[in-house]
Amino acid sequence: MPWCRGVTILAPADALDTLRRQRRRVQVAMLDPWYNRGVGGSRDDYDEFLEALVKAAARIAGHVFLWGFPEIVGAVLPRLPAGISLVAWLTWYFKNCPSVIRGWRSAQMACLHLAGPRARLYPEHFLNDAQLERQRAGKLRYLPGPASVIEAPLNIGFVGRREQTGHPAQKPEAVYEALLKMTTRRGDTVIDPMCGSGTTGAVCRTLGLKAILCDESDRYLTLAERRLGVVRC
Ligand SMILES: C[S@@+](CC[C@H](N)C(=O)[O-])C[C@H]1O[C@@H](n2cnc3c(N)ncnc32)[C@H](O)[C@@H]1O
């Protein structure tokens, strides 16, 4: 597989095909499908679709992150395949959604962190210098983990200008960085079969990881190619 500075972009394909074709094990699968509401439309078999995605991802990855609106993505929990379970219900919290609907303004998305029994976590990657020093001296009595609510603004307007690609559901790099810091070490591999603008690839570059990216949309893969300076296989 031709890596370009750690990132491989595959030709457009359905996410299930990408996952089922992957032969080598990877540390993490990032699954950020359309949400069955709003942009991307809806499908009647959404729960079955998520179930199949998680099953295919769990076959090749130790950790699986599944994104969605809380009340929709939670339906997958009773459908998890054997050998994978919920590690944490994560929330991305943002205050700057410009929604003009009458009533509550959306300020959160859910991300289910699922993993197999042997998948490792690295909370030590979140220690600051003082904590690392205390750990080295054997004086850190407990390992403080990061909060399961990750606060980062939506990349919109002047916020996150540097990251913005024009993809309608692009996630901030800061959010993915927390997920991947917890679950990977340098040199590990992450697969994202619905990569949109390539946020997973950008964060993999920052953290020294390898990324395998795909999307069913030729247009979005072109955005990812431009963002990452990679031409697809
Ligand atoms: C929420 S967006 C992902 C955004 C991405 N995480 C980012 O930060 O740019 C969902 C993406 O899934 C892709 N997608 C939806 N259904 C798919 C499928 N069955 N197979 C592959 N890609 C799919 C869409 O084209 C879209 O780019």
Side-chain angles (χ1 to χ4, degrees):
M1 193 176 279
W3 302 98
C4 176
R5 288 169 50 223
V7 176
T8 294
I9 300 183
L10 305 173
D14 180 75
L16 282 171
D17 291 337
T18 303
L19 292 168
R20 287 171 182 157
R21 271 191 225 125
Q22 176 65 23
R23 293 280 159 253
R24 288 232 185 105
R25 268 193 85 68
V26 299
Q27 278 65 43
V28 177
M30 185 71 75
L31 305 177
D32 185 16
W34 293 129
Y35 310 117
N36 221 29
R37 199 175 82 192
V39 60
S42 65
R43 49 193 288 177
D44 293 337
D45 64 343
Y46 194 70
D47 292 351
E48 290 78 8
F49 171 58
L50 291 191
E51 183 180 358
L53 269 180
V54 169
K55 188 172 175 195
R59 186 186 62 80
I60 52 160
H63 297 274
V64 177
F65 290 107
L66 177 64
W67 281 93
F69 289 120
E71 68 280 15
I72 298 177
V73 77
V76 84
L77 288 176
R79 295 169 166 263
L80 292 183
I84 191 159
S85 57
L86 183 70
V87 175
W89 180 295
L90 305 174
T91 298
W92 167 34
Y93 165 49
F94 47 84
K95 287 188 265 193
N96 63 332
C97 175
S99 160
V100 290
I101 55 170
R102 188 176 147 78
W104 297 106
R105 191 156 43 93
S106 179
Q108 62 176 302
M109 284 207 73
C111 177
L112 307 186
H113 179 182
L114 311 169
R118 284 188 300 279
R120 286 190 57 185
L121 296 175
Y122 302 98
E124 61 272 23
H125 290 170
F126 295 85
L127 298 182
N128 61 33
D129 287 347
Q131 290 166 328
L132 279 172
E133 190 53 45
R134 287 218 301 282
Q135 190 190 39
R136 267 184 231 114
K139 290 181 182 162
L140 197 66
R141 295 224 309 276
Y142 66 95
L143 202 57
S148 59
V149 174
I150 302 165
E151 183 174 0
L154 284 169
N155 289 332
I156 198 159
F158 288 105
V159 179
R161 263 270 165 91
R162 184 190 59 80
E163 289 182 28
Q164 286 177 29
T165 63
H167 189 287
Q170 184 178 337
K171 300 289 170 303
E173 291 178 19
V175 178
Y176 276 22
E177 193 167 322
L179 307 184
L180 296 181
K181 261 169 89 172
M182 179 59 104
T183 50
T184 60
R185 282 182 299 191
R186 274 187 98 73
D188 282 351
T189 303
V190 180
I191 189 165
D192 186 339
M194 314 163 102
C195 71
S197 66
T199 305
T200 294
V203 173
C204 283
R205 283 256 172 85
T206 305
L207 298 180
L209 306 168
K210 293 182 188 142
I212 302 168
L213 308 180
C214 193
D215 198 286
E216 67 179 7
S217 159
D218 183 64
R219 187 155 61 97
Y220 295 150
L221 283 179
T222 302
L223 287 185
E225 284 180 318
R226 263 193 234 128
R227 179 180 189 180
L228 300 165
V230 175
V231 178
R232 74 189 73 158
C233 307

